[in-house]
Amino acid sequence: MRKEDMIVLENKEIARDIFEMKLGGLLVQDITEPGQFLHIHTSPQPFPLLRRPLSICKTNKAEEYLTVIYRAEGEGTRLLSACSKGSTLDVIGPLGHGFPVSDVSPGEKVLLAGGGVGVPPLYDTGHALKEKGVDVTTVIGFSDKGTVFYEDPFRDIGRVFVSTADGSYGTAGFVTDVMEKEKLAFDRIFACGPVPMLKALETKYPEAEGCISLEERMGCGIGVCLACVCHTRQDPDGSDYRKVCSDGPVFPWKEVVL
Amino acid sequence: MRKEDMIVLENKEIARDIFEMKLGGLLVQDITEPGQFLHIHTSPQPFPLLRRPLSICKTNKAEEYLTVIYRAEGEGTRLLSACSKGSTLDVIGPLGHGFPVSDVSPGEKVLLAGGGVGVPPLYDTGHALKEKGVDVTTVIGFSDKGTVFYEDPFRDIGRVFVSTADGSYGTAGFVTDVMEKEKLAFDRIFACGPVPMLKALETKYPEAEGCISLEERMGCGIGVCLACVCHTRQDPDGSDYRKVCSDGPVFPWKEVVL
Amino acid sequence: MSRIAVELPGLSMKNPIMPASGCFGFGEEMGSLYDLNELGAIALKATTREPRFGNETPRVAETAAGMLNAIGLQNPGLQKVISEKLPKLKSIETPLLANIAGTTMEDYEEVAADLSGTGRVNALELNISCPNVKEGGIAFGTDPSLAAELTERVKAVSSVPVYVKLSPNVTDITDIAKAVERAGADGLTLINTLSGMKIDRKSRKPLLANQAGGLSGPAVKPIAVRMIHEVRRQTQLPLIGMGGISDVEDIIDFIIAGADAVAVGTANFTNPFICPELSRGLEKWLAQEQYTHLYDLQPKEVHSVE
Amino acid sequence: MSRIAVELPGLSMKNPIMPASGCFGFGEEMGSLYDLNELGAIALKATTREPRFGNETPRVAETAAGMLNAIGLQNPGLQKVISEKLPKLKSIETPLLANIAGTTMEDYEEVAADLSGTGRVNALELNISCPNVKEGGIAFGTDPSLAAELTERVKAVSSVPVYVKLSPNVTDITDIAKAVERAGADGLTLINTLSGMKIDRKSRKPLLANQAGGLSGPAVKPIAVRMIHEVRRQTQLPLIGMGGISDVEDIIDFIIAGADAVAVGTANFTNPFICPELSRGLEKWLAQEQYTHLYDLQPKEVHSVE
Ligand SMILES: Cc1cc2nc3c(=O)[nH]c(=O)nc-3n(C[C@H](O)[C@H](O)[C@H](O)COP(=O)(O)OP(=O)(O)OC[C@H]3O[C@@H](n4cnc5c(N)ncnc54)[C@H](O)[C@@H]3O)c2cc1C
Ligand SMILES: Cc1cc2nc3c(=O)[nH]c(=O)nc-3n(C[C@H](O)[C@H](O)[C@H](O)COP(=O)(O)OP(=O)(O)OC[C@H]3O[C@@H](n4cnc5c(N)ncnc54)[C@H](O)[C@@H]3O)c2cc1C
Ligand SMILES: Cc1cc2nc3c(=O)[nH]c(=O)nc-3n(C[C@H](O)[C@H](O)[C@H](O)COP(=O)(O)O)c2cc1C
Ligand SMILES: Cc1cc2nc3c(=O)[nH]c(=O)nc-3n(C[C@H](O)[C@H](O)[C@H](O)COP(=O)(O)O)c2cc1C
Ligand code: FES
Ligand code: FES
């Protein structure tokens, strides 16, 4: 982990309110797993006070840059969206544990399931899997046509299915609807998205092998404040927990309570 | 008075930590007297919370811009100094009452006495006086050579004397030292600068006709919060007062307690 | 019916927004900027029996997302408020909430009787919570039984409804709220400022001449919201909420927490036009979100004013 | 002699800066980022007799220049703190201030006796001011006689100096300060967080699962400075000041107001490296300004620790 003023190399809207930002800096060299995240101070001024966690989407160690994709929604992400090329951002990272690509064997069938701004960390993950010779299928869901992003980049990795909740693009419904409709089979599943989506997946595929990536409101991002804890499923006395920031954000299938 | 997003037309350092900023906008047309001021929100973000009062230095109604000169010192003025050309600033103004140029008769000898960032409002004042055919002499004092500004522009208006506290430029000492040394005579004096300078002037020239311009910490800038009051000299029961923002910032010689 | 009109004791407000006491003087200056009839009500600057100059300057200081003030209840005194200030507000229809302060119970009684007797004042706001004057009623604001006694005595002499303005500088704000409710208060306004201090970086001493001052602005909003939420659950009284309001979303937060109307203080300094802007913004937002009335935002069990 | 070394009861600090309790865990994570020997001291996360999971999430919310937290004293409990957490701090020399919390006086006594008995803890910090757990000692923090009794009982069983951490959610913080001073406290730490609430703009309900949370960060600094200034004038005890410190100038403000050392909480989240950065920055600033010691900043009559 390091704290660095990263340089904004690019920052553009790629779907409605969805921005893709390219950041350059040494920190890129420290990334060990796809699915790790950054904790970003969104303004050169002291406020907003808290950093914003954003997943690393794409890593390019050779050219020393990475990409994040975020929805400009609240105060902090709106400030991010106004950052101009050449400005710097105070970033700490890489943080947390990503998807365990090293556990996957060549030839395995891996399904990537992403919802909304949960899609980004799956991109680097898919890439790493493909390089290993894994057979990757991607199913990504969005609210509507206007917010769909990264369909094409994922095509380079394998088959891609898109759903929208309002049916304005791809299959109408949720990621799980696509999976049923297309009867997608897989040896392992890596998922990231809103909690209802993750819950639906764990319920439909209780025996699956795989991982989910979780979101939680954070203070420190590095494991000291205990803001981001979640319960574990195997926890008779209710005292066991995981920290999303430092134990996660990626957890084994059904390890934690959603 | 209006509230306007004025456009930053220019913003440059003209002496050590002293910036000259040109602002364009309709507000310029409302200016009625030299010595009025603006109340500026120093950031496009909500904080710093309070506006900063800055005197109007130069007015150009034809081209609809004005100039302010400020010392970048605290949080707000440092943010101002980072404003780039083309950006906008939320400004209210013109506020307060300026120097009563209309009271001055052609041919009168007027002395302008300014100290540090008290110099700016005297510039428009001098100009207006000169246009009326008044004989203007300017004495301006600074801490040291590095912070001297606007000596040349004032030369267009009349004679100019400069002092520095450390003697690194012009006469060593204060504005009052120059006035004594040069035996400057005047019918009227308009002064703006730090309180010790104003006090020294009122003490040395108790019978002078003239005005001073005062600074005080402000809340509203428009007369509602009573943050900026000062006592008056003729005030038997201690209840009389003036508001610097709306009764001033320019007051008749010896009207208020310094 | 209007989406944003609200009825509070003595205050028939066409929108739920009023400038907070001390942040609007007696309306003269703002009246030259916009039509004061656009306001839901106006809380006037504190009036005391005798004229007060207040504290020496500096009287204000900036803090992170907030400001400190130590004006010290400067005002021209009861007689001049009646003879000079109120007449200037004759031509507008907006209800007036007269903030009154004092050192003794008798002070409050006299000011209350005379101001309510003018006919131009629609309700009184008992300022028992000004942190900036040592003798300024601060004990009335922190001691439930004193607060209750004062409320009772003022109610006895006032011909208009009486609101009590609560101090946040207390261990349990609901104690005072319940005490003044029992004593007959018609409503509560909260919160006044939190006592704070700033050190001047140059002199290395307290910056304000009064040393301490009252903290207001966005910094205190979470404290204000929490206190309104608490008080709402402990009393039936109408609540006028304030503390850091500066946009429409802030108003919504206060209404959800349990306020029946709101006051805007410090934000008037950032933007003198804020009150009418907020009432237009609130109306528009409610229309967009298809609420028929502001109070539909409140959880059912919470809203207690009919 | 060092310009920034300070001596407080039990805490021989090479610089006046420690991370505040709850903002540094038990030091493990930060220990992998920098050498913990750079710190003046470390205030550990609250320890309770039994393990606590704490409140449900969301546990934090952002506010204007501040944050709310409602962690709820999550900790592994006394036994695990002794067997697992403290041993990991063996190799560093930095003094440890163990923050202890409980529901009953007996809880505090047991935790105090056992932690002070480990030999690794240099002083105790009685957390009688956590606003986030209903049973979490809040009454001890608001009632001077309860606070005094608790202090006395803990002093009786502790083999190390005892600091009492004061709550700002009180009418008069000096009452509690004086009561615990008389009861034998060795020092005071202040302030804990202010109780606040944030409404979630989407659900229109309190955002934190616990509804209310504790406000910290720059927003509360003026309140903290005012309270330290007040307490300094009413007691002789050493004071560890905190509340919104995020730069060297903030530390100077606290020292001028009367603090003998400071703690940094929320700012660790903005910048995990802040504590060592501040101690280097403070040293440099004092050298530049030619102070021989930090305490030379304090007005003579104020500083009372020898
Ligand atoms: C590990 C992790 C990875 C993430 N990756 C991405 C990503 O790649 N792209 C993306 O668009 N979003 C991502 N998120 C969600 C993102 O952090 C929030 O959308 C963002 O913090 C909201 O900030 P704001 O300024 O828009 O909202 P504000 O409402 O101003 O935020 C206020 C506070 O709440 C927190 N907060 C609000 N919503 C969330 C949320 N959903 N999750 C966590 N904290 C929240 C903020 O961090 C901040 O502290 C991720 C979250 C986590 C925990
Ligand atoms: C009527 C008037 C006209 C002025 N004209 C000029 C000018 O033309 N050029 C110029 O450089 N300065 C001028 N000043 C002073 C200028 O307002 C302050 O230097 C400035 O507000 C300081 O802000 P900051 O962000 O640097 O300091 P900060 O320390 O961040 O300011 C904190 C708060 O203190 C207030 N404050 C601090 N110093 C002063 C001061 N000396 N006077 C009033 N408020 C202060 C700020 O406005 C702000 O509210 C004028 C002041 C007044 C009252
Ligand atoms: C400059 C100033 C003066 C004030 N004067 C008074 C007053 O005279 N009487 C009173 O009850 N409250 C007074 N207040 C408190 C406000 O009415 C209000 O309760 C407080 O500022 C919180 O609201 P805000 O955060 O919107 O400012 C004053 C506040 C400020 C900032
Ligand atoms: C996330 C978080 C957890 C905290 N946990 C504790 C705690 O366990 N015990 C305690 O005494 N104070 C706790 N505090 C309060 C801090 O120690 C400190 O008193 C307060 O945050 C003010 O300082 P700051 O503004 O620098 O954060 C906590 C604060 C935060 C933000
Ligand atoms: S965010 Fe602080 S422990 Fe996870
Ligand atoms: S600054 Fe508010 S009255 Fe002058």
Side-chain angles (χ1 to χ4, degrees):
Chain A
M1 193 278 267
R2 73 173 80 208
K3 177 169 177 291
E4 185 178 13
D5 284 333
M6 295 188 83
I7 299 171
V8 177
L9 302 173
E10 212 177 278
N11 189 18
K12 60 169 195 262
E13 194 168 0
I14 57 170
R16 198 181 67 244
D17 293 335
I18 305 288
F19 288 75
E20 184 187 42
M21 184 186 255
K22 238 166 130 172
L23 292 169
L26 285 174
L27 188 156
V28 176
Q29 305 300 350
D30 303 339
I31 297 170
T32 55
E33 271 177 337
Q36 291 182 295
F37 69 98
L38 305 178
H39 214 22
I40 305 185
H41 199 86
T42 56
S43 163
Q45 286 177 238
F47 312 111
L49 190 69
L50 295 178
R51 292 173 178 271
R52 300 296 191 265
L54 291 182
S55 300
I56 298 165
C57 172
K58 218 188 298 187
T59 308
N60 188 327
K61 293 201 182 191
E63 296 174 39
E64 217 156 68
Y65 72 78
L66 56 77
T67 302
V68 291
I69 294 176
Y70 59 93
R71 182 190 294 129
E73 198 172 13
E75 192 185 355
T77 51
R78 270 199 293 246
L79 283 168
L80 274 188
S81 70
C83 284
S84 50
K85 193 173 151 167
S87 61
T88 59
L89 277 174
D90 169 5
V91 176
I92 62 178
L95 299 175
H97 296 286
F99 289 101
V101 170
S102 55
D103 293 358
V104 187
S105 315
E108 259 189 61
K109 279 193 163 83
V110 172
L111 189 103
L112 303 178
V117 289
V119 169
L122 298 177
Y123 182 78
D124 253 355
T125 308
H127 243 284
L129 291 170
K130 187 191 169 194
E131 264 170 38
K132 266 193 108 164
V134 173
D135 173 3
V136 181
T137 302
T138 305
V139 187
I140 48 185
F142 301 91
S143 62
D144 63 279
K145 188 175 175 191
T147 56
V148 174
F149 64 90
Y150 261 47
E151 182 182 2
D152 283 344
F154 274 103
R155 285 208 194 287
D156 298 340
I157 297 169
R159 280 192 305 168
V160 180
F161 300 89
V162 178
S163 72
T164 54
D166 71 352
S168 54
Y169 188 79
T171 305
F174 302 105
V175 164
T176 42
D177 297 321
V178 177
M179 288 168 70
E180 266 172 42
K181 192 181 144 205
E182 305 287 340
K183 302 200 172 50
L184 297 177
F186 53 86
D187 301 314
R188 200 183 287 260
I189 177 168
F190 289 157
C192 183
V195 167
M197 173 189 126
L198 299 177
K199 267 194 181 152
L201 285 169
E202 287 196 349
T203 311
K204 289 233 162 119
Y205 307 95
E207 305 304 329
E209 211 170 316
C211 288
I212 58 163
S213 179
L214 263 192
E215 283 185 8
E216 190 48 80
R217 286 177 189 254
M218 293 187 174
C220 65
I222 56 172
V224 302
C225 76
L226 300 177
C228 67
V229 299
C230 53
H231 291 277
T232 57
R233 294 219 184 190
Q234 307 305 326
D235 177 26
D237 69 351
S239 73
D240 196 28
Y241 65 93
R242 295 288 181 279
K243 297 185 257 189
V244 171
C245 67
S246 53
D247 298 322
V250 173
F251 294 103
W253 202 250
K254 301 191 77 178
E255 180 179 79
V256 300
V257 178
L258 292 175
Chain B
M1 194 278 269
R2 73 173 81 209
K3 176 167 177 294
E4 186 178 13
D5 285 333
M6 296 188 82
I7 298 171
V8 178
L9 302 173
E10 213 176 278
N11 190 19
K12 59 170 197 257
E13 193 167 1
I14 57 170
R16 198 181 66 246
D17 293 334
I18 305 287
F19 288 75
E20 184 185 43
M21 184 186 255
K22 238 167 134 170
L23 292 168
L26 286 174
L27 188 156
V28 176
Q29 305 299 351
D30 303 340
I31 297 169
T32 55
E33 272 176 336
Q36 291 183 295
F37 70 98
L38 305 178
H39 215 23
I40 305 185
H41 199 87
T42 56
S43 163
Q45 286 178 238
F47 312 111
L49 190 70
L50 294 177
R51 292 172 178 271
R52 301 296 191 264
L54 291 182
S55 300
I56 298 165
C57 172
K58 219 189 294 188
T59 308
N60 188 326
K61 294 202 182 192
E63 298 174 39
E64 216 156 68
Y65 72 78
L66 57 77
T67 301
V68 292
I69 294 175
Y70 60 92
R71 182 189 294 130
E73 200 173 11
E75 193 187 353
T77 51
R78 270 199 293 244
L79 283 168
L80 274 187
S81 70
C83 284
S84 51
K85 193 171 152 168
S87 62
T88 60
L89 277 174
D90 169 5
V91 177
I92 62 178
L95 299 175
H97 296 285
F99 289 100
V101 171
S102 55
D103 293 359
V104 187
S105 314
E108 261 190 59
K109 279 193 162 84
V110 172
L111 190 104
L112 303 178
V117 288
V119 169
L122 298 176
Y123 182 78
D124 253 355
T125 308
H127 243 284
L129 290 169
K130 189 191 168 196
E131 262 169 41
K132 267 193 105 163
V134 174
D135 174 4
V136 181
T137 302
T138 304
V139 187
I140 48 184
F142 301 90
S143 62
D144 63 279
K145 188 173 174 191
T147 56
V148 174
F149 64 90
Y150 261 47
E151 181 181 4
D152 282 344
F154 274 103
R155 285 207 194 290
D156 297 340
I157 298 169
R159 282 192 305 168
V160 180
F161 300 90
V162 178
S163 72
T164 55
D166 71 351
S168 54
Y169 188 80
T171 305
F174 302 103
V175 164
T176 42
D177 297 320
V178 178
M179 288 167 71
E180 265 173 42
K181 191 181 142 206
E182 305 287 340
K183 301 200 173 52
L184 297 177
F186 53 87
D187 302 314
R188 201 183 287 261
I189 176 167
F190 289 156
C192 183
V195 166
M197 173 190 126
L198 299 177
K199 267 193 180 154
L201 285 170
E202 287 196 350
T203 311
K204 289 234 161 113
Y205 307 95
E207 305 304 328
E209 210 168 319
C211 286
I212 57 162
S213 179
L214 263 193
E215 283 184 10
E216 190 49 80
R217 283 175 192 257
M218 293 187 174
C220 65
I222 57 175
V224 302
C225 76
L226 301 176
C228 66
V229 300
C230 53
H231 291 277
T232 57
R233 293 219 184 190
Q234 307 304 326
D235 177 25
D237 69 353
S239 73
D240 195 27
Y241 66 93
R242 295 288 180 279
K243 296 185 258 189
V244 171
C245 67
S246 53
D247 298 323
V250 173
F251 294 102
W253 202 250
K254 299 190 79 178
E255 179 179 79
V256 299
V257 178
L258 292 176
Chain C
M1 210 202 96
S2 157
R3 280 187 180 85
I4 56 173
V6 300
E7 281 296 326
L8 271 70
L11 306 172
S12 213
M13 298 170 66
K14 64 164 74 105
N15 67 64
I17 299 156
M18 68 180 77
S21 177
C23 303
F24 210 75
F26 291 89
E28 292 166 69
E29 298 81 6
M30 290 290 194
S32 70
L33 298 186
Y34 60 83
D35 181 357
L36 300 185
N37 286 308
E38 292 195 52
L39 297 168
I42 300 173
L44 302 175
K45 176 74 189 160
T47 298
T48 53
R49 193 157 66 169
E50 305 302 329
R52 283 183 62 94
F53 179 81
N55 296 316
E56 295 307 316
T57 58
R59 289 177 170 189
V60 293
E62 191 176 56
T63 70
M67 67 174 279
L68 293 168
N69 89 80
I71 307 299
L73 300 180
Q74 175 160 13
N75 79 95
L78 178 60
Q79 289 323 317
K80 278 208 179 149
V81 168
I82 294 176
S83 63
E84 294 177 13
K85 300 296 181 184
L86 292 181
K88 292 193 182 144
L89 290 162
K90 272 243 165 81
S91 62
I92 63 150
E93 287 158 18
T94 311
L96 300 181
L97 179 65
N99 185 281
I100 70 184
T103 310
T104 62
M105 300 235 185
E106 291 71 29
D107 285 352
Y108 281 94
E109 285 173 317
E110 183 174 336
V111 180
D114 288 6
L115 280 181
S116 72
T118 59
R120 179 58 194 98
V121 161
N122 305 78
L124 300 179
E125 182 180 36
L126 292 193
N127 181 355
I128 56 166
S129 46
C130 180
N132 297 329
V133 285
K134 257 142 225 98
E135 34 12 318
I138 183 81
F140 298 130
T142 55
D143 180 329
S145 59
L146 279 179
E149 189 187 339
L150 180 68
T151 305
E152 231 167 76
R153 288 175 62 167
V154 169
K155 274 295 290 177
V157 298
S158 172
S159 54
V160 297
V162 175
Y163 291 74
V164 180
K165 184 155 185 182
L166 302 183
S167 168
N169 301 298
V170 293
T171 306
D172 188 348
I173 196 168
T174 65
D175 279 350
I176 316 266
K178 287 183 287 187
V180 302
E181 177 173 38
R182 280 192 300 268
D186 298 288
L188 302 172
T189 64
L190 66 165
I191 58 174
N192 211 319
T193 54
L194 282 126
S195 178
M197 179 181 281
K198 176 160 175 163
I199 304 290
D200 180 27
R201 301 199 162 175
K202 277 179 203 154
S203 70
R204 309 200 180 285
K205 295 208 179 108
L207 191 152
L208 297 176
N210 188 50
Q211 303 217 323
L215 184 65
S216 63
V220 308
K221 188 187 146 192
I223 299 168
V225 168
R226 189 262 302 177
M227 289 186 161
I228 287 157
H229 192 261
E230 271 179 18
V231 169
R232 171 75 302 153
R233 273 144 196 83
Q234 299 281 323
T235 82
Q236 298 296 312
L237 293 178
L239 306 180
I240 300 174
M242 70 199 81
I245 292 178
S246 55
D247 63 23
V248 169
E249 291 278 1
D250 291 335
I251 297 177
I252 295 166
D253 291 347
F254 274 77
I255 299 293
I256 293 172
D260 300 290
V262 297
V264 178
T266 305
N268 286 289
F269 308 159
T270 315
N271 176 5
F273 301 95
I274 194 153
C275 287
E277 281 177 19
L278 287 177
S279 80
R280 285 191 292 270
L282 181 63
E283 168 100 57
K284 199 170 138 195
W285 185 88
L286 289 167
Q288 262 166 13
E289 303 278 317
Q290 304 190 298
Y291 284 98
T292 50
H293 192 272
L294 181 64
Y295 289 162
D296 297 340
L297 282 165
Q298 294 186 325
K300 267 279 167 340
E301 70 277 18
V302 158
H303 190 242
S304 55
V305 188
E306 49 281 74
Chain D
M1 210 202 93
S2 157
R3 281 187 179 87
I4 56 174
V6 300
E7 280 296 325
L8 270 71
L11 307 173
S12 213
M13 298 170 67
K14 66 165 71 107
N15 67 63
I17 298 156
M18 68 180 78
S21 178
C23 303
F24 210 75
F26 290 90
E28 291 166 69
E29 298 81 5
M30 290 292 195
S32 72
L33 299 186
Y34 60 82
D35 181 357
L36 300 185
N37 286 309
E38 292 195 52
L39 297 168
I42 300 172
L44 303 175
K45 176 73 189 160
T47 298
T48 53
R49 195 158 63 169
E50 304 301 330
R52 283 183 61 95
F53 179 82
N55 296 316
E56 295 308 316
T57 58
R59 289 178 170 189
V60 294
E62 191 177 58
T63 70
M67 67 174 279
L68 293 168
N69 89 79
I71 307 298
L73 299 181
Q74 175 162 13
N75 79 94
L78 178 59
Q79 289 322 317
K80 278 207 178 148
V81 168
I82 293 177
S83 63
E84 293 176 13
K85 300 297 181 183
L86 292 181
K88 292 194 183 144
L89 290 162
K90 272 240 164 85
S91 62
I92 63 151
E93 287 159 18
T94 312
L96 300 182
L97 179 63
N99 186 279
I100 71 184
T103 312
T104 63
M105 299 236 184
E106 290 70 29
D107 285 351
Y108 282 94
E109 285 174 318
E110 183 175 335
V111 180
D114 288 6
L115 280 181
S116 72
T118 60
R120 179 58 193 96
V121 162
N122 304 78
L124 301 178
E125 182 179 36
L126 292 192
N127 182 354
I128 56 167
S129 47
C130 180
N132 296 328
V133 285
K134 259 138 225 104
E135 30 20 315
I138 183 83
F140 299 130
T142 56
D143 179 329
S145 58
L146 280 180
E149 190 188 337
L150 180 68
T151 305
E152 230 167 76
R153 288 174 61 167
V154 169
K155 273 296 288 179
V157 299
S158 172
S159 52
V160 298
V162 175
Y163 292 73
V164 179
K165 185 155 182 182
L166 302 183
S167 168
N169 302 298
V170 294
T171 306
D172 187 348
I173 195 169
T174 66
D175 279 350
I176 315 266
K178 286 183 288 188
V180 302
E181 176 172 38
R182 281 192 299 269
D186 298 289
L188 302 172
T189 63
L190 66 166
I191 57 174
N192 210 320
T193 54
L194 282 125
S195 178
M197 180 182 281
K198 176 159 175 165
I199 305 290
D200 180 28
R201 302 201 161 174
K202 277 179 204 156
S203 71
R204 307 200 183 286
K205 295 209 180 105
L207 191 151
L208 298 176
N210 188 51
Q211 303 218 322
L215 184 65
S216 64
V220 309
K221 186 186 148 192
I223 299 168
V225 169
R226 189 262 301 175
M227 289 185 162
I228 287 158
H229 192 261
E230 270 179 20
V231 170
R232 172 75 301 155
R233 276 146 194 80
Q234 301 281 324
T235 82
Q236 298 296 312
L237 292 178
L239 306 180
I240 300 174
M242 70 198 81
I245 293 178
S246 55
D247 63 25
V248 169
E249 291 278 1
D250 291 334
I251 296 177
I252 295 166
D253 291 348
F254 273 77
I255 298 293
I256 293 171
D260 299 291
V262 297
V264 177
T266 305
N268 287 288
F269 308 160
T270 315
N271 176 5
F273 300 96
I274 194 154
C275 286
E277 280 177 19
L278 287 177
S279 80
R280 285 190 293 269
L282 181 63
E283 167 101 57
K284 198 171 139 194
W285 184 89
L286 289 166
Q288 260 167 15
E289 303 279 316
Q290 304 189 301
Y291 284 99
T292 49
H293 192 272
L294 181 64
Y295 289 162
D296 297 340
L297 283 165
Q298 294 186 325
K300 266 280 166 345
E301 69 278 18
V302 158
H303 190 243
S304 55
V305 188
E306 50 281 76

